[in-house]
């Protein structure tokens, strides 16, 4: 996975894009970058990263990923706030998997300077 483009849809390699966040050598600078890295974590099966980037107030005790789910693409539909100058932000996206898709508006906050996923809702289509 190191030479192909990142699963999040960016043209950079996985290592240069979301892989560095997963490895802990960099932190996602925006809510959108965190959302993209979390999608990539689902693709590569990195439950530890998903838990580490979940808000402590909403984080589940454990996370069991379905190894049979094949994620096939990510489309960012919109963002609000979520930059280096904000404390909160939202990212609306569609994540496709073999057999369907997930449409969510995710909420993010900064905790101790780092972006974390708080929760999400499923907008009407």
């Amino acid at each position: 996975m190191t030479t192909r483009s990142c699963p999040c849809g960016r043209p950079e390699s996985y290592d240069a894009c979301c892989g560095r966040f997963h490895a802990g050598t960099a932190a996602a600078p925006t809510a959108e970058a965190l959302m993209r890295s979390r999608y990539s974590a689902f693709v590569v099966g990195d439950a530890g990263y998903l838990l580490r980037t979940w808000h402590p107030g909403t984080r589940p005790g454990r996370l069991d990923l379905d190894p049979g789910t094949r994620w096939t693409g990510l489309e960012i539909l919109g963002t609000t706030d979520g930059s280096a100058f904000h404390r909160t932000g939202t990212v609306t996206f569609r994540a496709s998997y073999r057999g369907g898709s997930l449409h969510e508006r995710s909420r993010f906050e900064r905790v101790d300077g780092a972006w974390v996923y708080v929760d999400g809702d499923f907008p009407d289509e």
Side-chain angles (χ1 to χ4, degrees):
M1 170 146 308
T2 60
T3 58
R4 296 187 356 222
S5 62
C6 191
C8 81
R10 298 277 189 208
E12 296 88 3
S13 71
Y14 169 75
D15 286 345
C17 193
C18 293
R20 63 198 172 110
F21 303 143
H22 296 172
T25 59
T30 65
E32 180 181 340
L34 180 65
M35 207 283 332
R36 286 180 177 277
S37 71
R38 287 175 57 81
Y39 169 82
S40 291
F42 276 102
V43 172
V44 302
D46 190 344
Y49 178 78
L50 292 165
L51 289 170
R52 286 191 308 275
T53 58
W54 212 309
H55 191 284
T58 57
R59 179 186 314 136
R62 63 181 238 173
L63 184 63
D64 296 319
L65 300 179
D66 180 355
T69 301
R70 296 290 175 241
W71 296 98
T72 59
L74 175 65
E75 179 184 8
I76 303 298
L77 303 173
T79 63
T80 58
D81 298 336
S83 77
F85 304 104
H86 299 107
R87 294 207 32 80
T88 63
T90 65
V91 179
T92 304
F93 66 92
R94 179 172 288 109
S96 299
Y97 55 90
R98 194 173 297 151
S101 67
L102 169 71
H103 182 197
E104 181 176 317
R105 181 175 33 254
S106 295
R107 291 188 321 121
F108 298 89
E109 281 183 18
R110 284 185 183 273
V111 172
D112 296 328
W115 285 106
V116 293
Y117 170 78
V118 177
D119 60 16
D121 58 41
F122 306 101
D124 295 332
E125 299 210 39

